[in-house]
Amino acid sequence: MSLEEYKNKRDFSKTREPSQSKKKKESDELVYVIQRHQASHLHFDLRLEEEGVLKSWAIPKTPPQETGVRRLAVQTEDHPLGYEDFEGIIPEGEYGAGKVDTWDKGHYLSHEETPSKKVIEIRGKKLQGRYALIKLKVKDPGDKNWLFFKLKESN
Ligand SMILES: [Mn+2]
């Protein structure tokens, strides 16, 4: 897991975003956050802690709170652990310029994990229950498009 792309995109003398992952206790639960990001286009950034970083997806529409709604989730660069606490304005001219605030936050459990599929249990305030992230083009490692949706409880 590398934050190279994250760091290359940002000038930390200009943005208040964190420049590296914070340390956390072994016993801590896995971080889940969705940040509302009013950049050139409003979107929602889903972030899930994995191996010391936050795996990240940009969701162009409101994340699904009920079953039956599938959202495109475009994978973006890994973000540092601790980014879940970032809120504020990314300055004009900087990458992702615009306002970031917390839309939902909590923890998650991993139930299933393959390179192209994750089944997780989200324990947030707005999102709760089992969710899936499915990569659309399994055989294309460069393709960033995933689907994000809530699973029926009986699954
Ligand atoms: Mn964003």
Side-chain angles (χ1 to χ4, degrees), residues 37 43 45 47 58:
H37 188 182
H43 61 271
D45 287 307
R47 308 194 197 282

Short mmCIF file of all heavy atoms in Angstrom, two decimals, residues 37 43 45 47 58, ligand 1:
data_model
loop_
_atom_site.label_atom_id
_atom_site.label_comp_id
_atom_site.label_asym_id
_atom_site.label_seq_id
_atom_site.Cartn_x
_atom_site.Cartn_y
_atom_site.Cartn_z
N HIS A 37 -18.07 15.78 -0.76
CA HIS A 37 -16.99 16.60 -1.33
C HIS A 37 -17.57 17.48 -2.44
O HIS A 37 -17.91 17.00 -3.52
CB HIS A 37 -15.89 15.66 -1.87
CG HIS A 37 -14.66 16.38 -2.32
ND1 HIS A 37 -13.59 15.71 -2.87
CD2 HIS A 37 -14.32 17.69 -2.29
CE1 HIS A 37 -12.64 16.60 -3.17
NE2 HIS A 37 -13.07 17.80 -2.84
N HIS A 43 -19.69 15.01 -5.02
CA HIS A 43 -19.66 13.54 -4.96
C HIS A 43 -19.42 13.11 -3.52
O HIS A 43 -19.21 13.94 -2.64
CB HIS A 43 -18.58 12.98 -5.90
CG HIS A 43 -17.20 13.44 -5.55
ND1 HIS A 43 -16.64 14.59 -6.04
CD2 HIS A 43 -16.27 12.91 -4.73
CE1 HIS A 43 -15.43 14.75 -5.55
NE2 HIS A 43 -15.17 13.75 -4.73
N ASP A 45 -17.16 10.51 -1.11
CA ASP A 45 -15.96 9.69 -1.08
C ASP A 45 -16.08 8.63 0.00
O ASP A 45 -16.04 8.93 1.19
CB ASP A 45 -14.72 10.57 -0.83
CG ASP A 45 -14.36 11.41 -2.05
OD1 ASP A 45 -14.22 10.83 -3.14
OD2 ASP A 45 -14.23 12.64 -1.92
N ARG A 47 -14.47 5.67 2.03
CA ARG A 47 -13.11 5.25 2.40
C ARG A 47 -13.20 4.12 3.43
O ARG A 47 -13.94 4.21 4.41
CB ARG A 47 -12.32 6.42 2.97
CG ARG A 47 -12.34 7.64 2.06
CD ARG A 47 -11.32 8.68 2.43
NE ARG A 47 -11.62 9.96 1.81
CZ ARG A 47 -11.39 10.28 0.53
NH1 ARG A 47 -10.83 9.39 -0.27
NH2 ARG A 47 -11.72 11.47 0.06
N ALA A 58 -14.94 7.21 -5.27
CA ALA A 58 -15.79 8.39 -5.43
C ALA A 58 -17.15 7.94 -5.99
O ALA A 58 -17.22 7.27 -7.02
CB ALA A 58 -15.14 9.39 -6.38
MN MN B 1 -13.32 13.60 -3.59
#
